[in-house]
Amino acid sequence: MRRSIEALFLTLLLLVLCATAGQAQAQIKLQIGSGTSAPAMDTATGASSSPASSNVVTTPRVRAELVALAPQGIEPGKTIDLGLLLDHQPDWHTYWVNPGDSGLPTQLQWQLPPSWDAGEIAWPTPHPIRIGSLVNYGYEGQVLLPVTVQIPSTFSADARDVTVRLHANWLICRVECIPEEGQFSLTIPTHSSTALLADAFAKARAQVPVALQGSSQASVDGETLKLRVSGLPVALQGQSLQVLSESPDTLHHAMEDGKDFQQQWEGADWTAVVPLSANRGQTPDDLPLVLTTNAHTAVDGAIGWRSVAPISGQWQAAAVAQVSHELAAALAKNAQSSAPTPPPASGSLWLAVLGALIGGLILNLMPCVFPILALKVLGFTAHGSQLREQRHAGLAYTAGVVLSFLALGALLLALRSAGQQLGWGFQLQSPLVIAALAALFTVIGLNLAGMFEFGNFVPSSLAGKQAKSPTTNAFLSGVLAVAIASPCTAPFMGASMGLAVSLPAAEALLVFAALGLGMAAPYLLASWIPAVVRWLPRPGAWMDTFRRAMAFPMFATVVWLVWVLGQQSGIDGAATLLALLVLLAALVWSLGLQGRARWGFAVLSLAGSLYLASAMGHNLTTPAPAPGQQASGALWQPWSEQKVSEINASGKPVFVDFTAAWCVTCQYNKRTTLSDSQVLAAFENKQVNLLRADWTRQDPAITQALNLLGRSGVPVYVLYAPGKPPQILSEVLSVKEVVDAVTKL
């Protein structure tokens, strides 16, 4: 039995470690545009790539997507269109090439195959956005910023597809301004048509100002500029026009027709006297202008007309041409709100360490850790009175736990510094990690149940080496315990983990080490105190019964993991995993047979597994509809930052349940306290709106909200009352705590 368990840890644990490492590597690669599907996020802005595709980045304010138009595929010497499609949330906007009185234009930095040449953004005609006395130029709703890409004649079209990458920066504003960015990657087929968004590109091109064939002139007259433009459509004659300069710091933006801005038609020529900007720079040789109607209605198929007017004369430059005071103030305010938390005082650090230590101790009580602790009980019994081996095993287990927590903490900190937005328990947000853990526990359960002995199909020399290394087994037990236990955020851990991710690296790792030490402490103490061992029964026949009984907690853990994966990938994903586990069990059983039947059944099981993985493996990673978007009844509604603000603005309180399917504490609270009749009655009496933020799969908006609350994992329960700061409740809820908090509203 010991030989089997030890060998299993050395081989099967690699599945979990490789899956977790692969997920982390994919997320790091995304930062340099590798084209993986792992989410990326900017820690200050909440920008995150969609889990389904790295050509999409979402934030609470905008959805950005890298799109392409190649109706004839990619042909040498021809062109294709790329673009950034921005879908703004209500009241939010981004900016034109000249943002106006405040703002910054969107910037695109391309990474294309050799000799591919990307042109400039073909800016659609913007519309003025008035904020108080300011006028900006930009876009609301949905806008596509198209770019023409020239394919060189030397391009070889032998490859089936081509990957293009983009790093985009944009400033998005409502009243406050928030700089955001995203890494995008898009694979375009070489020999087939890419024209799904042909209508969107056609609409964007129709909004690009049309180049005028006539002449334009501009002359400086004191603090104004006199303009004359010819060649405009006949249908425009007699209409009032808006004039926009593509060059910032030239014309005054907040001008009013008939006052400081005067215009008239002289036959087919449009003339105007426009005021110069108070922040104007040096006089350029010419001025690119865009003219449009006040209503932005199409005339002769266009809504804007572009002309470049040579400038005669010189204006006097302003003393300092600078970013507007309004933009500077907005950016400064945003920087303060998104700046890293200052290093805490030493007292706060040691409180965080103490909280992590206590949280680690309590973590041993979580049901997801129980199967691992059961294996350690078997280890204690096997050692009997061999105190030296017990102590070595205790130290090895502690080392495995502490080093694993340090590794997870370092990985989390590294990914965050690279721009990821992750929280504690992120590894169980990957369906592949879930599947690997389910396979691991299935095989361990089959071994404990007596279906097979690992030594029967492993060379005796290898099995012998494993049997002589109980210390290695203890160390791997600690690693596996952390892999399973880390998503279960125990009481006293929430604040410590939230603080840890904002600390300097050395101090943050100290908190993670304290968490690991707290979790390993009971076993470490027991291994060094002989009295604990004397309480255990002597080795005997009961051990075989106990061993087989321990298979059921393993299988129960598999049930939980399949359920978690079902929450992430839907019923098809759960069914696929179950089918693969059945074939895995058949493979393990066949390897324990004798004679030719052993290899016959083994080949059939392996072939079936490979076929199923190739045919249906995609079901494991295909996202199911977010739980918050499914029917959740009239009581609980899906969470969004905007919905919380809207409800509070109407004068009503909001209770938010930050939860995840893989969080056992969350499910316990959901089925007990949050379903209690007294709690529901208190919510109803105070007209509390109930929102559920489901973090089963990585959600950048939820991660950002948790960070703002000083938390890095779930569960988190928050009561938002109008005009009051958020009230965070305990991780393990009680009916009295919730009722008292709601009653005080």
Side-chain angles (χ1 to χ4, degrees), residues 71-74 155-161 188-194:
Q72 308 303 322
I74 302 176
F155 172 72
S156 174
D158 294 338
R160 295 177 56 187
D161 50 48
I188 308 171
T190 305
H191 301 291
S192 59
S193 175
T194 301

Side-chain angles (χ1 to χ4, degrees), residues 487-717:
C488 302
T489 306
F492 304 101
M493 271 180 57
S496 295
M497 291 296 99
L499 177 62
V501 296
S502 65
L503 289 171
E507 296 179 2
L509 292 178
L510 178 62
V511 176
F512 288 116
L515 177 60
L517 186 60
M519 181 177 174
Y523 184 77
L524 178 64
L525 293 175
S527 66
W528 282 75
I529 300 176
V532 174
V533 180
R534 288 196 290 268
W535 296 340
L536 297 176
R538 295 296 180 187
W542 70 271
M543 291 180 60
D544 186 62
T545 303
F546 183 76
R547 170 198 173 184
R548 296 178 188 275
M550 286 301 98
F552 294 100
M554 295 295 174
F555 294 140
T557 303
V558 174
V559 172
W560 169 63
L561 290 169
V562 171
W563 178 77
V564 170
L565 187 132
Q567 297 294 307
Q568 297 178 344
S569 303
I571 186 85
D572 291 339
T576 300
L577 178 57
L578 284 173
L580 287 171
L581 293 179
V582 170
L583 289 172
L584 175 64
L587 177 62
V588 169
W589 167 76
S590 63
L591 291 176
L593 299 176
Q594 301 295 325
R596 295 180 179 179
R598 173 182 185 178
W599 299 112
F601 281 111
V603 170
L604 287 175
S605 301
L606 183 59
S609 300
L610 294 176
Y611 173 77
L612 184 63
S614 62
M616 301 179 63
H618 64 276
N619 290 335
L620 296 176
T621 56
T622 300
Q629 297 173 349
Q630 300 174 4
S632 55
L635 190 61
W636 290 91
Q637 299 298 322
W639 169 91
S640 72
E641 180 184 14
Q642 182 179 358
K643 185 174 292 186
V644 173
S645 300
E646 290 174 352
I647 295 174
N648 275 172
S650 68
K652 296 181 179 179
V654 180
F655 181 85
V656 179
D657 171 17
F658 291 92
T659 184
W662 39 261
C663 170
V664 179
T665 310
C666 303
Q667 304 309 316
Y668 173 80
N669 289 333
K670 187 183 300 183
R671 286 163 174 74
T672 55
T673 302
L674 295 181
S675 299
D676 187 87
S677 58
Q678 297 181 56
V679 171
L680 296 178
F683 285 145
E684 183 177 2
N685 291 338
K686 292 294 185 176
Q687 296 184 323
V688 178
N689 288 261
L690 305 179
L691 304 183
R692 183 156 282 153
D694 195 289
W695 205 41
T696 300
R697 272 186 178 268
Q698 184 175 336
D699 186 315
I702 294 176
T703 309
Q704 179 77 354
L706 290 172
N707 289 342
L708 293 175
L709 293 168
R711 295 292 186 269
S712 188
V714 290
V716 174
Y717 304 99

